[in-house]
Amino acid sequence: MPDEIKPRIAPLLPSDWNDAVMDALGAFPSARDFVLNGWKAGGHGVRGMHGLGLTLHYPALSKAFLTFNNHVATGSTLSRRVREILILRTSWLRKAEYEFIQHVVLGRRAGLTDEDIDRISRGPDAPGWADPIDADLVRAVDELHAHACIQDATWTRLSTQFNRDQLMDLVFCVGCYDLLAMVFRTFGAQLEAGVETLSPEMRARMQVRL
């Protein structure tokens, strides 16, 4: 049976954002503006609104995390495409359906095809990787997930393609979205109305993965 995530904390919606919340959101202005502008335009199912809203009950904590999240999302030395590969694999391993669905959208915008996304879900040894470095990015996530450490062989190959700062951003990106997966699953993030869901096959495969 799929792992049903039950809501435990209701997201704080833009209609209830106060000065303390707006101050916290100033740490990640692009996320704030995306949600707020969509809300003002009448879109009460703005993608990402529920996930963001879960943290806003605790503005001091939210501000601290969003400062970090803003770097990972907008200040990283990694390309958008690389970041989305890392985030999609992290959320898949964590069975974080809410996070995975949000980043399917962002991954497509970063240039990933649906075939790429399916391959990311199947792991580094799946057939069909056009670029072995993409498989190694997925492998690095798997190793961080399993050992809290990228193994030497993977690190050596990645080091031929990425500099020191990029490798640091890689680890911090995985850590950031691993933490968000815990937030979304534990607090019970629910998809916004109208957001495309996973296919039944992919959802079942995510939930039964060992």
Side-chain angles (χ1 to χ4, degrees), residues 130-148:
D131 187 345
I133 204 66
D134 288 348
D136 273 329
L137 290 167
V138 172
R139 185 171 288 106
V141 177
D142 286 13
E143 291 170 356
L144 287 166
H145 182 75
H147 310 293

Side-chain angles (χ1 to χ4, degrees), residues 30-83:
S30 60
R32 175 200 63 203
D33 294 347
F34 177 79
V35 170
L36 193 57
N37 291 340
W39 178 270
K40 288 178 177 177
H44 290 189
V46 183
R47 182 178 53 79
M49 179 174 64
H50 290 171
L52 183 64
L54 286 178
T55 72
L56 295 176
H57 294 283
Y58 192 166
L61 177 60
S62 183
K63 185 175 184 177
F65 176 74
L66 289 174
T67 300
F68 173 38
N69 197 187
N70 185 52
H71 169 79
V72 172
T74 70
S76 173
T77 58
L78 297 172
S79 70
R80 288 176 60 204
R81 183 180 182 279
V82 167
R83 294 197 309 271

Side-chain angles (χ1 to χ4, degrees), residues 81-99:
R81 183 180 182 279
V82 167
R83 294 197 309 271
E84 293 306 324
I85 290 172
L86 299 171
I87 296 165
L88 284 165
R89 185 59 179 171
T90 299
S91 54
W92 181 268
L93 291 177
R94 283 299 190 188
K95 302 184 182 183
E97 187 174 352
Y98 179 89
E99 182 171 273

